[in-house]
Amino acid sequence: MKDKRILATGYNGVPTGIRHCEDVGCLRETLAVKPGEKHELCRGLHAEQNVIIQAAYYGIMTQGTTLYSTHKPCIICSKMVINAGVKKIIYLNGYPDPLADEMLAEAHIEVERFTA
């Protein structure tokens, strides 16, 4: 969001044209991978990744924007958010990733939990 306008949206899900884990099975469940670990063992992308990709696909600049998310970003999403130039993150639910917190703070990205 920039200047009170939604620039792009993202969602948790698989890349376009790829079968969903509901159809082929979830490797993370099969291997009992804990949340926050081995992100590469997943067919899907996080919403933060998808919103940055959608912005790039349609030529929308993300520098100086605010990202709204249901969850605080994981480390992979945090690194992407930093490089995308996002200045602020507003999230609803926490996510246990101390390295993500550390890097977002080091990048001077404002992180705020939404409260109604």
Side-chain angles (χ1 to χ4, degrees):
M1 180 171 274
K2 190 170 188 176
D3 300 327
K4 298 184 180 181
R5 297 180 190 273
I6 296 172
L7 303 176
T9 59
Y11 56 89
N12 290 340
V14 297
T16 303
I18 302 298
R19 293 178 295 156
H20 196 278
C21 43
E22 289 178 349
D23 300 322
V24 297
C26 178
L27 183 57
R28 293 178 61 83
E29 282 181 10
T30 301
L31 298 174
V33 176
K34 296 177 185 174
E37 295 181 4
K38 300 183 179 183
H39 295 283
E40 70 278 7
L41 297 178
C42 182
R43 297 178 68 82
L45 295 158
H46 288 174
E48 300 91 336
Q49 295 166 332
N50 264 325
V51 75
I52 292 167
I53 292 165
Q54 286 298 310
Y57 188 86
Y58 289 104
I60 299 167
M61 185 183 297
T62 56
Q63 184 176 2
T65 58
T66 298
L67 180 123
Y68 290 83
S69 182
T70 56
H71 288 78
K72 187 166 55 167
C74 70
I75 185 60
I76 293 173
C77 292
S78 294
K79 292 186 283 186
M80 292 178 69
V81 164
I82 291 166
N83 275 359
V86 171
K87 69 174 183 172
K88 184 174 183 177
I89 297 167
I90 299 176
Y91 69 93
L92 185 60
N93 299 303
Y95 189 81
D97 199 327
L99 182 56
D101 296 339
E102 178 185 325
M103 290 183 72
L104 290 168
E106 186 176 340
H108 306 288
I109 294 177
E110 185 179 349
V111 180
E112 176 185 322
R113 187 168 192 166
F114 176 80
T115 55

